[in-house]
Amino acid sequence: MTIDIRIFRDRLPEAIAGLAREARQEGHLHIARLVDEWSAGETRFSRDGETLLGAFAGETLVGVGGVTVEPAMPEALRMRRFYVCPGMRGRGVGRMLALTLLNHARPFCRCVTVHVENDGATKFWESLEFRPRDQNGYTHVLDLRG
């Protein structure tokens, strides 16, 4: 299986609606918020250092994630709207997406934060060397320079 990571610049793909639906079925509303905020022009991942990526298996969107400026911490970016569809978990898609985002972030910041809400996500982010630090709306931090 080949995974292709693509940048979303001017518009979200129509397939994001299906990803939002899958996430909602699991009780996660953050992908629907991504769509709403993008449509309203509130969050477009367009400031310096920000980006939004999609992971595709062929032409099927199977994951999404981005980084935005972290308002609570100078010289930091925040991992946001990260989601991999259930059928693709455990196949390295999330790791590939996260590592691509972290490589993108390195020239722009000293660290990356993430807000983790469940044990599975905690294990995933900690496997990528994020360390617990519960403050200012995030739960984990990865120091990119140390």
Side-chain angles (χ1 to χ4, degrees), residues 20-127:
R21 194 170 29 260
E22 281 188 83
R24 188 175 19 258
Q25 289 171 350
E26 290 189 275
H28 305 298
L29 302 177
H30 65 295
I31 304 305
R33 279 196 302 271
L34 164 66
V35 173
D36 292 344
E37 291 172 354
W38 185 285
S39 296
E42 294 172 22
T43 305
R44 287 287 182 94
F45 297 81
S46 59
R47 293 182 289 179
D48 198 30
E50 296 183 342
T51 195
L52 180 64
L53 304 177
F56 289 82
E59 291 304 310
T60 304
L61 179 63
V62 297
V64 66
V67 289
T68 59
V69 170
E70 171 61 81
M73 182 185 288
E75 298 184 42
L77 292 173
R78 183 176 188 153
M79 195 72 67
R80 299 185 57 94
R81 308 304 184 231
F82 198 91
Y83 182 78
V84 174
C85 68
M88 295 302 288
R89 293 180 193 153
R91 297 182 181 195
V93 175
R95 179 169 293 277
M96 179 185 294
L97 190 57
L99 291 175
T100 303
L101 287 165
L102 291 173
N103 284 335
H104 166 83
R106 287 182 197 288
F108 297 101
C109 63
R110 297 178 52 84
C111 64
V112 176
T113 68
V114 67
H115 178 79
V116 177
E117 294 186 355
N118 62 60
D119 290 341
T122 296
K123 289 177 187 173
F124 173 76
W125 293 110
E126 289 181 359
S127 79

